[in-house]
């Protein structure tokens, strides 16, 4: 009984200590998610204003000058209002001086544009010649070009801000690792001092679980992936492929939102599919010449719950160890269907026609999946991590891997069909 009481107090103490990095991680994640949301909103809004200033205003005024539309019937003032309102919203969302300076200049340019458009209207009403009106329109086009350039510079500033946010993510990740190491050392000393062998084993298991969960999150938001994504956004912006900039930025925003998901471990199959869709949208633009993909999910499965961030590491493994190591274009297929006629289990499959594994390497990979210590795992950590989490959370579910050198790889896993987190808890209590 004395040992039981000591164990109970020790568990309470350790849980209280372990809460610290968890709270820290949640707070930091929310701050960064908010920063990304603001940046994405600003880039999208600035892009809309850019389009109006660069194209719509000039086209509308040309219709008036060319005689196809009366000045009083034109939409030029509505467009000016949209530009003015958009700049004001950007000013409200922008805190940094560099970005605000660009918006102040943009606001002045809008005022000048408004004044010149009004003067053009006066000139037209006085019966000025078409030639003079066209000369005046050329001056207005120069102002809209200046305003467009300012907005482009503002978009670049926001993208650079996103890169700095990425640096902050890396710094916070290092800080969290230091906190965890400190806590682990403290807990180990506490365990040795109290001669609790059983408690030490529990602590070690908790430590390994937290390691797996932390590395799982970090593996989804690696600096390498972030840098590549931001590089993609930058070169698309430099090439003035604005539609692709918005497409990649929105996909990246949704990718991060689901990755963080307010600290929740369980999401719907629909959300997990959306997560890999956003991931593949980004990778498709980077690897257009070598990557095709297909997502085939039975729609009846979409409302079931599953452990989050399960499919993305498998897709990433297929790209970097399969498709990139073969010649020519590769194809990835992600599928899900009922495993049995009773519709109580569902099977997910990620397969590629990439380089594949040799028989010897396949044996090594399968052996690594069974490693107890994650430090012994090398190139297949993504597969190991998913397999470990499946074993922990689904009490025996695991990955099966089939591969042939030069023909590709297929990775599968089967999990129960449950429609809510309460169903997950009932299942866990039954199998503990």
């Amino acid at each position: 009984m004395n040992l039981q009481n000591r164990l109970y107090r020790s568990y309470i103490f350790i849980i209280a200590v372990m809460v610290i990095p968890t709270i820290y991680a949640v707070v930091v994640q929310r701050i960064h998610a908010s920063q990304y949301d603001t940046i994405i909103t600003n880039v999208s809004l600035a892009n809309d204003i850019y389009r109006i200033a660069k194209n719509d205003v000039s086209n509308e005024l040309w219709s008036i000058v060319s005689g196809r539309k009366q000045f009083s019937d034109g939409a030029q003032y509505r467009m000016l209002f949209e530009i003015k309102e958009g700049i004001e919203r950007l000013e409200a969302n922008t805190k940094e001086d560099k970005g605000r300076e660009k918006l102040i200049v943009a606001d002045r340019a809008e005022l000048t544009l408004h004044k010149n458009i009004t003067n053009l209207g006066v000139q037209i009403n006085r019966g000025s010649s078409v030639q003079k009106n066209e000369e005046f329109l050329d001056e207005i086009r120069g102002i809209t070009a200046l305003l467009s350039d300012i907005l482009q510079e503002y978009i670049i500033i926001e993208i650079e801000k996103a890169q700095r946010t990425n640096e902050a993510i890396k710094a916070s990740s290092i800080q969290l690792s230091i906190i965890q190491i400190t806590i682990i050392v403290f807990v180990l000393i506490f365990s040795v001092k109290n001669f609790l062998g059983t408690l030490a084993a529990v602590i070690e298991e908790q430590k390994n679980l937290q390691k797996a969960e932390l590395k799982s999150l970090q593996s989804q938001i690696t600096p390498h992936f972030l840098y590549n994504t931001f590089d993609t956004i930058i070169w698309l912006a430099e090439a003035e492929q604005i539609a692709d900039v918005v497409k990649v930025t929105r996909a990246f925003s949704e990718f991060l939102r689901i990755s963080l998901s307010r600290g929740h471990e369980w999401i719907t199959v629909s959300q997990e599919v959306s997560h890999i869709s956003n991931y593949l949208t980004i990778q498709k633009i980077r690897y257009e010449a070598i990557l095709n993909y297909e997502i085939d999910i039975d729609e009846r499965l979409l409302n079931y719950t599953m452990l989050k961030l399960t499919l993305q590491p498998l897709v990433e493994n297929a790209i970097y160890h399969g498709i990139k190591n073969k010649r020519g274009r590769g194809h990835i297929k992600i599928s899900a269907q009922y495993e049995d006629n009773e519709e109580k289990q569902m099977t997910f499959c990620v397969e590629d026609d990439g380089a594949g594994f040799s028989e010897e390497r396949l044996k090594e990979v399968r052996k690594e999946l069974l490693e107890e210590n994650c430090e012994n795992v090398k190139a297949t950590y993504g597969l190991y991590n998913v397999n470990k989490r499946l074993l922990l959370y689904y009490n025996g579910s695991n990955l099966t891997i089939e591969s042939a050198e030069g023909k590709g790889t297929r990775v599968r896993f089967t999990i129960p069909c449950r429609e809510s987190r309460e169903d997950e808890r009932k299942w866990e209590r039954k199998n503990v």
Side-chain angles (χ1 to χ4, degrees), residues 341-355:
N341 294 330
E342 296 179 354
E343 299 183 354
K344 292 184 177 181
Q345 291 187 313
M346 50 186 173
T347 296
F348 294 83
C349 180
V350 176
E351 53 187 316
D352 65 79
D353 59 358

Side-chain angles (χ1 to χ4, degrees), residues 71 77 116-126:
F71 186 88
Y77 285 115
N116 278 266
I117 289 175
T118 300
N119 291 338
L120 175 62
V122 172
Q123 183 171 295
I124 291 173
N125 290 335
R126 289 177 178 174

Side-chain angles (χ1 to χ4, degrees), residues 127-162:
S128 178
S129 67
V130 173
Q131 181 178 355
K132 288 186 177 181
N133 291 339
E134 289 180 348
E135 293 173 356
F136 206 97
L137 178 57
D138 287 339
E139 294 180 11
I140 292 175
R141 284 173 173 162
I143 299 171
T144 59
L146 173 62
L147 179 57
S148 300
D149 290 341
I150 295 170
L151 291 170
Q152 281 276 44
E153 293 170 2
Y154 175 83
I155 290 173
I156 292 174
I157 290 172
E158 288 298 293
I159 292 175
E160 291 173 348
K161 188 192 300 182

Side-chain angles (χ1 to χ4, degrees), residues 11-46:
Y11 286 149
I12 297 299
F13 175 77
I14 291 171
I15 290 172
V17 172
M18 290 296 183
V19 164
I20 295 174
T22 303
I23 295 176
Y24 176 83
V26 170
V27 171
V28 171
Q29 289 167 5
R30 289 196 174 190
I31 292 173
H32 290 150
S34 175
Q35 290 173 341
Y36 272 116
D37 283 343
T38 301
I39 292 170
I40 291 166
T41 299
N42 288 349
V43 170
S44 180
L45 180 57

